[in-house]
Amino acid sequence: MLNAAAEFTVNDRYYRVPARPVVVICIDGGADEYLTAAMCRGRVPHITAMSARGYRGLVRAALPTFTNVNNASICTGLPPSKTGICGNFFIDPDTGREVMTNSTRYLRAPTILAAAAESGRRVAFVTAKDKLRAFLSSGLRGIAFSTEKADEARLPTHGIEDVESMVDESKPSIYSGAASVFVLRAGAAMIAGGKADFLFLSLTDYLQHKFSPEEEPVVEFYEQLDHEIGRMLELGAVVGITADHGMNGKHDGAGRPQVLYLETELVARFGDGIRVVCPITDPYVVHHGALGGAATVYLPSGLDRAAVIAWIADLDGVSEVYPRQLAARKLELDPEHVGDIYVLATRDVVLGRTPADHDLSGLDRPLRSHGSRYEEMVPMVVSEPLSAEYRMKALGDPRNFDIFDFVCNGTDVVTGTAGQE
Amino acid sequence: MLNAAAEFTVNDRYYRVPARPVVVICIDGGADEYLTAAMCRGRVPHITAMSARGYRGLVRAALPTFTNVNNASICTGLPPSKTGICGNFFIDPDTGREVMTNSTRYLRAPTILAAAAESGRRVAFVTAKDKLRAFLSSGLRGIAFSTEKADEARLPTHGIEDVESMVDESKPSIYSGAASVFVLRAGAAMIAGGKADFLFLSLTDYLQHKFSPEEEPVVEFYEQLDHEIGRMLELGAVVGITADHGMNGKHDGAGRPQVLYLETELVARFGDGIRVVCPITDPYVVHHGALGGAATVYLPSGLDRAAVIAWIADLDGVSEVYPRQLAARKLELDPEHVGDIYVLATRDVVLGRTPADHDLSGLDRPLRSHGSRYEEMVPMVVSEPLSAEYRMKALGDPRNFDIFDFVCNGTDVVTGTAGQE
């Protein structure tokens, strides 16, 4: 029954899974410019052919444009307001302490992956970073492992073992492009070996934080990704590619980081007790120093919120400012995970807390990061032609977390390959 | 002395003009997706080669993302706050009447074109629409004509005549892709004939309003543009390409326009006397019905502006709302040309005044338009490799109105071709 058509409904969406291997790839930090730079150099022939035969366009990511927020949305087909994953940290109002949210405990919705497995598909979820695997594989009866801990995968806990033998490669460092290539190699190997036919493969943006789109190391990285994607296409897979967020330079003309230390500025102006949370913060900060394009501000009681908002709005480097409820509504966030004020930065500026909170010593290249609205538009590539209905949908306001919908429901491949079942 | 290196300073920027023909092309409505769709189909080989050899990336247009606003900025190297062109209309506070601003009378800065001509270069400015030519050719001692009135060009008034013979084509309809191709053909012919060596060629977005990026008529259009660009490159030109704004579908899943009639809504809620101005309005509205992604609101005295702002911000279809002074500061507009409130729409919604003010009967395809922040990021392609300094600049927050700066100062072609003078 491998590759048999299947159907299921999860989070109020119906999915009709084609009778072919289905692969969704999230290129972490995969701004459209990276794809374009590799494409115009002739280095991604399979993705180029996919784009011409199927579809390539831009879709809107969830805000703030961070990895866990968007992976949670992609895995569920829901905006952050409904996944409960609105950033990596918020302040618990009861304890006043920062709480890390990229945990299964905060994920409020079942995943498409778990539902696909229940419907009878053989699901595999592979990530570069283990943390992402851990918090999104909840409820999944299938394969789930990471490059980072590929050697620790065991049948009872991960649905697979001997991953390094299967991929024919020792697990690379998590701080490498190879960590992502390993994910796709594992995906292709599992399809080839009949281990999986419904895959979500989620990469890491280590190289995109370091290199701008036309630089050779990242062009070569895309070439390697393209090679593995070509293998999956050859194995008959329907492939959808998107990104969790884009990536932009956050530096001045001399290459120096442009950081607005929002807590420092606010305390200097309005006094102690104001706290800024940078929701990009996670255990893997060496390449961006926990500096991103979004921040949320917690005010002590008694401070005039409207006055603080007006003051922040006028700061250079700030693009948008919202009070909590409006942020929740306009940015699709859960108000309980948002401070009193939500702030988005301009294209080339990142928001920090205080200089002491951010270690920039690991930066060996001009800072590139994400989090703001300027990293919101990301590519979506689908290997098959879209139906008329989904073409119209693609021209409106499609989201990156519609990718499973597009790949499963947006093409006519079920009918087209029914004879192959 | 044709093609001799030249230098000049205008609007506080220094330009060092290479000793080669210099061509800047503004693809009206030339969203990056159009270039990409044509590129992945192998239909724009010259632009693809330019992108790989030189540079292709995204630059930020001026807001609101309209044609006259951005052409004025590109011609001067200045944001709208300094050009004085912040939209096509504003309400004159003295008379209470709507005033059309795309007139030389409102342009507050000299153009790069006029300065290049003064420096000794042979300048040609060609547009599809005549209105654009008329209001931006002020002070220019050189060639300036439009496709629309190509037959009316005369030596004393336009610096050229017999344009149709030169292009070997009768002027096409302004409502066509051919109107834009004519502009580039004229450009190539003037370079070939030694008539011009510093050109600004500005197209019309008629096809982009009608067709989404992967549709054959617009792919073929890009192929034709690419052919003419290839001719200019062959003639030794340094070519820079950008766009005035992007283009997005503004319709629902059934293809029906999604319009927020802001004046209607505001009057229903807050009473008479509120006026909404749609700054996209111009004499050529058949393809968009004067519906775009930006609008400004004039309030009668006595109405609580903060309350109206809060109410607008909460409306579906609204992305950003600003009071006048903050709009001027954050969106780089002239406060005198902005109403009490400035509004930007979401990706797939346009803002209208009242249903009676917009004629949608000319729409024969799902509405596509622009004006909002979702049409802000546009491509910049430069035919020569950028210097280290300009590469760093390109990775920060470059603007579409930096295009002459990039083409003149951003490459090393002056030194590289000094021997050819």
Side-chain angles (χ1 to χ4, degrees):
Chain A
M1 285 300 289
L2 197 64
N3 294 349
E7 55 181 357
F8 58 87
T9 296
V10 61
N11 301 325
D12 296 326
R13 289 214 217 190
Y14 168 80
Y15 296 85
R16 180 200 62 173
V17 189
R20 285 166 58 181
V22 164
V23 180
V24 166
I25 299 168
C26 175
I27 304 184
D28 191 3
D32 203 56
E33 298 95 301
Y34 286 99
L35 211 45
T36 297
M39 193 177 277
C40 73
R41 285 165 179 78
R43 302 284 286 276
V44 285
H46 299 107
I47 301 176
T48 303
M50 268 177 73
S51 306
R53 176 184 139 70
Y55 180 79
R56 176 177 165 188
L58 295 178
V59 291
R60 196 155 59 85
L63 286 164
T65 43
F66 294 130
T67 295
N68 292 329
V69 173
N70 277 279
N71 273 273
S73 286
I74 291 170
C75 279
T76 57
L78 297 172
S81 53
K82 293 185 180 162
T83 64
I85 310 300
C86 303
N88 292 348
F89 280 97
F90 74 103
I91 294 181
D92 185 325
D94 297 330
T95 65
R97 288 205 306 216
E98 285 193 29
V99 177
M100 195 171 199
T101 55
N102 50 355
S103 144
T104 297
R105 191 155 72 86
Y106 289 98
L107 185 67
R108 294 191 193 140
T111 67
I112 296 166
L113 308 176
E118 291 307 316
S119 83
R121 295 289 289 221
R122 301 175 81 156
V123 175
F125 172 38
V126 190
T127 61
K129 295 178 181 174
D130 197 63
K131 182 78 198 165
L132 195 61
R133 192 269 320 157
F135 104 92
L136 290 175
S137 59
S138 123
L140 168 60
R141 293 208 279 185
I143 297 169
F145 65 93
S146 66
T147 302
E148 188 179 15
K149 298 194 175 173
D151 52 333
E152 297 175 24
R154 295 291 175 272
L155 215 44
T157 46
H158 298 76
I160 196 168
E161 55 196 13
D162 294 329
V163 168
E164 290 170 304
S165 320
M166 178 183 74
V167 181
D168 198 20
E169 182 186 343
S170 295
K171 64 165 195 176
S173 159
I174 189 62
Y175 292 118
S176 70
S180 292
V181 179
F182 189 93
V183 171
L184 296 198
R185 278 194 189 141
M190 287 187 291
I191 298 172
K195 286 190 167 61
D197 62 3
F198 190 99
L199 298 88
F200 179 48
L201 308 173
S202 193
L203 314 184
T204 172
D205 59 3
Y206 179 70
L207 282 181
Q208 289 93 335
H209 273 289
K210 283 180 100 76
F211 298 105
S212 56
E214 77 291 354
E215 292 186 280
E216 179 54 24
V218 79
V219 172
E220 189 188 347
F221 170 64
Y222 268 76
E223 186 171 45
Q224 292 169 340
L225 299 181
D226 186 76
H227 178 76
E228 301 307 322
I229 289 165
R231 281 185 66 200
M232 294 189 252
L233 291 169
E234 205 170 279
L235 291 164
V238 182
V239 177
I241 304 170
T242 191
D244 52 351
H245 55 75
M247 187 70 75
N248 280 303
K250 308 291 181 181
H251 53 77
D252 64 15
R256 286 177 301 241
Q258 296 196 129
V259 188
L260 173 59
Y261 290 107
L262 200 53
E263 187 171 301
T264 301
E265 298 286 335
L266 285 169
V267 167
R269 173 64 185 78
F270 294 99
D272 286 341
I274 298 173
R275 292 172 69 181
V276 168
V277 170
C278 296
I280 193 177
T281 310
D282 76 5
Y284 313 83
V285 299
V286 68
H287 45 307
H288 54 62
L291 292 165
T296 187
V297 184
Y298 292 80
L299 301 182
S301 58
L303 207 52
D304 176 354
R305 187 172 72 168
V308 179
I309 287 176
W311 192 82
I312 294 174
D314 206 46
L315 291 174
D316 283 333
V318 167
S319 175
E320 297 169 52
V321 190
Y322 296 89
R324 175 185 283 129
Q325 291 299 336
L326 191 63
R329 183 154 150 56
K330 289 290 166 174
L331 309 180
E332 304 167 301
L333 299 173
D334 176 352
E336 289 181 22
H337 288 196
V338 168
D340 297 285
I341 299 171
Y342 208 87
V343 186
L344 297 175
T346 53
R347 188 185 184 201
D348 56 349
V349 170
V350 279
L351 302 173
R353 191 166 184 172
T354 76
D357 289 303
H358 302 274
D359 177 11
L360 297 178
S361 65
L363 282 183
D364 53 0
R365 314 256 316 165
L367 178 64
R368 299 176 63 74
S369 194
H370 52 92
S372 84
R373 199 179 287 279
Y374 285 96
E375 293 82 34
E376 188 186 24
M377 300 313 297
V378 294
M380 175 175 77
V381 188
V382 178
S383 62
E384 307 295 323
L386 299 183
S387 65
E389 179 192 348
Y390 276 76
R391 178 181 293 266
M392 190 67 86
K393 191 171 172 177
L395 294 175
D397 186 24
R399 311 299 301 269
N400 64 345
F401 55 80
D402 294 332
I403 183 77
F404 277 107
D405 177 29
F406 271 86
V407 168
C408 291
N409 304 321
T411 73
D412 298 319
V413 293
V414 166
T415 0
T417 61
Q420 294 177 20
E421 285 178 42
Chain B
M1 284 299 290
L2 197 65
N3 294 349
E7 54 181 359
F8 59 88
T9 296
V10 62
N11 301 327
D12 296 326
R13 290 214 215 189
Y14 168 79
Y15 296 86
R16 180 200 62 172
V17 189
R20 285 166 57 180
V22 164
V23 180
V24 166
I25 298 168
C26 176
I27 303 183
D28 191 3
D32 203 55
E33 299 95 301
Y34 286 99
L35 211 46
T36 297
M39 193 177 278
C40 73
R41 286 165 178 79
R43 301 283 287 275
V44 286
H46 299 107
I47 301 176
T48 303
M50 268 177 72
S51 305
R53 176 184 139 71
Y55 180 79
R56 176 177 165 187
L58 295 177
V59 292
R60 194 156 61 85
L63 285 164
T65 42
F66 293 130
T67 296
N68 292 328
V69 173
N70 277 278
N71 273 273
S73 286
I74 291 169
C75 279
T76 56
L78 296 171
S81 53
K82 293 185 181 163
T83 64
I85 310 299
C86 303
N88 292 349
F89 281 96
F90 73 103
I91 293 182
D92 185 326
D94 297 332
T95 65
R97 289 208 303 218
E98 286 193 29
V99 178
M100 194 172 201
T101 56
N102 50 355
S103 142
T104 298
R105 191 156 71 88
Y106 289 97
L107 186 66
R108 294 190 192 140
T111 68
I112 296 165
L113 308 176
E118 291 306 316
S119 82
R121 294 290 289 224
R122 300 174 82 156
V123 175
F125 172 38
V126 190
T127 61
K129 294 178 182 174
D130 198 63
K131 182 77 199 168
L132 195 61
R133 191 271 319 158
F135 104 93
L136 290 175
S137 59
S138 123
L140 167 61
R141 294 208 280 186
I143 296 169
F145 65 93
S146 67
T147 302
E148 188 179 16
K149 298 194 176 175
D151 53 332
E152 296 176 24
R154 295 291 176 272
L155 212 46
T157 47
H158 299 76
I160 195 168
E161 56 196 13
D162 295 329
V163 167
E164 291 171 303
S165 320
M166 178 182 75
V167 181
D168 198 20
E169 182 186 342
S170 294
K171 65 165 195 176
S173 159
I174 190 62
Y175 291 119
S176 71
S180 292
V181 179
F182 189 94
V183 171
L184 297 198
R185 278 193 189 142
M190 288 187 289
I191 298 171
K195 285 189 168 60
D197 62 2
F198 191 99
L199 297 88
F200 179 48
L201 307 174
S202 193
L203 313 183
T204 173
D205 59 5
Y206 179 70
L207 282 181
Q208 289 93 335
H209 273 289
K210 282 181 101 74
F211 298 106
S212 57
E214 75 291 353
E215 291 186 280
E216 178 55 24
V218 78
V219 172
E220 188 188 350
F221 170 65
Y222 269 75
E223 185 171 46
Q224 292 169 340
L225 299 181
D226 186 76
H227 179 77
E228 301 306 321
I229 289 165
R231 281 185 66 201
M232 295 189 251
L233 291 169
E234 204 171 279
L235 291 164
V238 181
V239 177
I241 303 171
T242 191
D244 51 352
H245 55 75
M247 186 72 73
N248 280 303
K250 308 290 182 181
H251 53 78
D252 64 15
R256 287 177 301 243
Q258 295 196 131
V259 188
L260 173 60
Y261 290 106
L262 200 53
E263 190 172 297
T264 300
E265 298 284 336
L266 285 168
V267 167
R269 173 65 185 77
F270 294 99
D272 286 341
I274 298 174
R275 291 172 70 181
V276 169
V277 170
C278 296
I280 193 177
T281 310
D282 77 3
Y284 313 82
V285 299
V286 68
H287 44 310
H288 53 62
L291 291 164
T296 187
V297 183
Y298 291 80
L299 301 182
S301 56
L303 207 51
D304 177 353
R305 187 172 72 168
V308 178
I309 287 177
W311 191 82
I312 294 174
D314 206 46
L315 291 174
D316 283 333
V318 167
S319 175
E320 297 169 52
V321 191
Y322 296 90
R324 175 185 283 129
Q325 291 300 333
L326 191 63
R329 183 154 150 56
K330 289 290 166 175
L331 310 179
E332 304 168 300
L333 300 173
D334 176 350
E336 291 181 21
H337 288 196
V338 168
D340 297 286
I341 299 172
Y342 208 86
V343 186
L344 296 176
T346 54
R347 189 185 184 201
D348 56 350
V349 170
V350 280
L351 302 173
R353 193 167 182 171
T354 75
D357 288 304
H358 301 275
D359 177 11
L360 297 178
S361 65
L363 282 183
D364 52 1
R365 313 254 318 162
L367 178 64
R368 299 177 62 76
S369 194
H370 52 92
S372 84
R373 199 179 286 280
Y374 285 95
E375 293 81 35
E376 187 186 25
M377 300 312 299
V378 293
M380 175 175 78
V381 188
V382 178
S383 63
E384 307 294 324
L386 299 183
S387 65
E389 179 191 348
Y390 276 76
R391 177 180 294 264
M392 190 67 86
K393 191 171 171 176
L395 294 175
D397 186 25
R399 309 301 301 269
N400 63 345
F401 55 81
D402 294 333
I403 184 76
F404 276 106
D405 178 30
F406 272 86
V407 169
C408 291
N409 304 320
T411 72
D412 297 320
V413 292
V414 166
T415 359
T417 60
Q420 294 177 20
E421 287 179 42

